[in-house]
């Protein structure tokens, strides 16, 4: 069994445990990371190209307009460094930095981390062709497992990228724990660049998760299709509706799958029966939006100091650069 088979086995075991726990809870929930299988990856790529989904365009603009300033921070004293990206995805935005760094002959190696083996293999193949001299060390792993691996890479400065607003998928407590854990894996002077979706017009935010073409709904409902396929389930997709909700007080945008009828579901592979009442929900995702004060407080609480916030023209989004104290 090679490492990819081991990772698949571990991920499947975790998925099974999370299904049993989440679907047996009141209210029901499922972790958002399971939205990303082969079909989910394709649907999410479509979402990022939607007019309503401003996040990708905003961050792309930030990196394009500020790549020189970021490079100045990254290549501090022209010393070699490790560029580590948590949740690399398709690497569309990161390629801006990679091209600029390689053009400037910066001494670095790139370590993309993603839980989706499919998207990571695609990214690695494309980058190897686009940047043949790039030292590439992909890791198929979740964030916390990947962070523990950081301790094995000693000697060089680390620059950690956590972009795309992925931090918004964590609760406040989870975010604090995440950055404390990350801080414990880094040394003083190491950098972290995080993408934060900012609080703004609630209607603008809600449209990003309830697009007019229904792609986000298909993305959310695909989770049930994945469960059917991988655990011999009999979810009837037509019994569920996608429903997003944004709370401007907390900044949390939550996505749900809502059952429209009373019915039961069986997951044969898990010997699990799940009952649903009409209008009962499964929470599948949370995406928190931040204020500038919340970002700075998060850095201070977890062993970092904010260096600079980089904004898009509309100030919809920021990439916040922190240094480990």
């Amino acid at each position: 069994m090679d490492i990819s088979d081991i990772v698949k086995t571990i991920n499947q075991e975790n998925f099974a445990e999370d299904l049993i726990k989440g679907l047996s809870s009141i209210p029901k929930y499922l972790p958002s990371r399971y939205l990303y299988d082969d079909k989910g990856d394709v649907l999410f790529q479509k979402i990022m190209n939607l007019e309503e989904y401003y996040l990708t365009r905003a961050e792309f603009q930030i990196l394009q307009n500020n790549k020189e300033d970021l490079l100045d921070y990254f290549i501090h004293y022209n010393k070699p460094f490790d560029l580590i990206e948590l949740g690399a995805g398709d690497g569309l935005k990161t390629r801006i930095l990679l091209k600029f760094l390689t053009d400037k002959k910066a001494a670095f190696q790139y370590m993309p981390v993603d839980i989706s083996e499919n998207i990571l293999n695609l990214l690695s193949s494309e980058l190897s062709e686009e940047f043949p001299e790039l030292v590439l060390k992909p890791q198929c792993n979740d964030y916390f497992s990947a962070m523990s691996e950081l301790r094995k890479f000693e000697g060089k400065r680390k620059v950690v990228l956590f972009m795309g607003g992925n931090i918004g998928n964590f609760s406040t407590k989870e975010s604090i724990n995440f950055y404390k854990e990350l801080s414990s894996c880094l040394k003083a002077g190491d950098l972290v660049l995080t993408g934060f979706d900012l609080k703004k017009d609630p209607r603008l935010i809600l449209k990003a998760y309830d697009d007019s073409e229904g792609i986000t709904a298909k993305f959310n409902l695909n989770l049930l299709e994945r469960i059917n396929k991988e655990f011999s389930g009999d979810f009837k997709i037509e019994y569920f509706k996608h429903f997003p909700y944004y709370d401007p007080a907390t900044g949390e945008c939550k996505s749900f799958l809502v059952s429209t009828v009373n019915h039961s579901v069986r997951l044969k592979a898990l010997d699990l029966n799940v009952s649903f009442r009409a209008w009962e929900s499964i929470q599948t995702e949370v995406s928190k939006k931040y204020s500038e004060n919340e970002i700075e407080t998060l850095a201070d609480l977890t062993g970092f100091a904010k260096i600079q916030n980089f904004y898009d023209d509309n100030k919809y989004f920021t990439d916040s650069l922190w240094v480990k104290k």
Side-chain angles (χ1 to χ4, degrees):
M1 180 179 290
D2 62 25
I3 186 65
S4 63
D5 292 329
I6 294 172
V7 170
K8 283 182 181 178
T9 300
I10 293 172
N11 287 344
Q12 197 71 0
E13 290 175 354
N14 291 341
F15 194 4
E17 290 174 4
D18 288 338
L19 276 174
I20 294 169
K21 183 178 180 181
L23 293 178
S24 302
S25 296
I26 301 176
K28 295 178 172 64
Y29 70 93
L30 290 172
S32 60
R33 61 180 172 272
Y34 299 119
L35 293 165
Y36 300 90
D37 62 352
D38 290 358
K39 183 177 178 180
D41 291 340
V42 172
L43 288 169
F44 189 67
Q45 301 308 308
K46 291 182 178 180
I47 288 171
M48 291 193 295
N49 290 318
L50 291 169
E51 180 63 31
E52 294 99 328
Y53 197 79
Y54 59 84
L55 293 85
T56 304
R57 292 190 303 277
E59 192 169 36
F60 191 92
Q61 184 184 81
I62 291 169
L63 297 177
Q64 189 66 48
N65 292 346
N66 297 281
K67 57 190 176 186
E68 294 189 32
D69 290 338
L70 287 167
L71 179 63
D72 287 341
Y73 287 116
F74 290 0
I75 60 171
H76 189 61
Y77 300 128
N78 291 319
K79 292 182 178 179
F81 65 95
D82 293 325
L83 184 65
I84 302 145
E85 183 168 16
L86 304 177
D90 66 356
L92 179 63
K93 300 180 294 290
T94 313
R95 290 171 210 233
I96 298 171
L97 298 178
L98 293 177
K99 185 177 189 312
F100 200 67
L101 288 168
T102 53
D103 286 348
K104 295 293 183 180
K105 308 296 183 185
F108 75 103
Q109 63 179 3
Y110 176 52
M111 302 167 61
V113 178
D114 204 282
I115 196 169
S116 170
E117 185 181 18
N118 174 63
I119 203 72
L120 196 60
N121 287 339
L122 180 62
L123 173 64
S124 299
S125 176
E126 291 178 351
L127 290 180
S128 295
E129 183 174 343
E130 189 173 352
F131 305 105
E133 296 181 2
L134 178 65
V135 180
L136 187 64
K137 295 187 176 181
Q139 289 190 46
C140 184
N141 228 326
D142 60 45
Y143 300 144
F144 290 98
S145 297
M147 286 192 293
S148 67
E149 290 291 313
L150 294 181
R151 295 187 176 93
K152 300 179 182 178
F153 294 89
E154 297 292 339
K156 286 189 287 186
R157 192 180 193 220
K158 294 178 177 61
V159 177
V160 180
L161 307 178
F162 192 43
M163 302 191 297
N166 289 326
I167 189 61
N169 296 138
F170 297 162
S171 68
T172 298
K173 181 179 179 180
E174 289 170 338
S175 297
I176 292 172
N177 290 340
F178 172 83
Y179 282 111
K180 283 184 176 179
E181 176 67 19
L182 180 56
S183 179
S184 72
C185 299
L186 301 176
K187 294 183 178 180
D190 288 344
L191 300 177
V192 176
L193 183 70
T194 304
F196 291 94
D197 195 11
L198 297 173
K199 290 181 176 178
K200 60 186 77 65
D201 183 344
R203 292 177 180 82
L204 182 69
I205 291 173
L206 191 57
K207 284 181 180 179
Y209 298 87
D210 195 21
D211 65 276
S212 58
E213 296 182 35
I215 306 298
T216 313
K218 291 178 181 177
F219 175 66
N220 202 13
L221 288 163
N222 178 63
L223 176 57
L224 303 184
E225 294 183 21
R226 179 181 182 184
I227 294 170
N228 281 348
K229 180 173 62 177
E230 297 185 21
F231 295 96
S232 301
D234 61 0
F235 272 105
K236 292 181 172 56
I237 312 305
E238 64 272 19
Y239 285 178
F240 290 85
K241 289 183 179 293
H242 164 69
F243 180 77
Y245 167 74
Y246 177 64
D247 183 346
T250 64
E252 291 182 339
C253 190
K254 297 181 179 180
S255 292
F256 300 87
L257 290 170
V258 181
S259 173
T260 59
V261 297
N262 294 320
H263 72 289
S264 295
V265 172
R266 177 163 175 77
L267 305 185
K268 187 176 179 181
L270 300 179
D271 192 24
L272 178 67
N273 295 306
V274 184
S275 296
F276 287 90
R277 301 183 308 276
W279 311 117
E280 184 178 5
S281 65
I282 309 171
Q283 183 180 317
T284 58
E285 189 174 22
V286 59
S287 183
K288 178 175 169 54
K289 315 308 174 184
Y290 282 80
S291 68
E292 284 89 344
N293 286 341
E294 286 175 319
I295 293 171
E296 193 150 358
T297 298
L298 183 58
D300 290 339
L301 285 174
T302 56
F304 295 95
K306 186 195 78 177
I307 296 176
Q308 184 176 346
N309 285 343
F310 298 91
Y311 299 96
D312 64 287
D313 292 344
N314 294 314
K315 294 197 75 171
Y316 287 168
F317 199 94
T318 184
D319 279 321
S320 186
L321 185 64
W322 301 354
V323 62
K324 159 79 173 181
K325 295 178 184 177

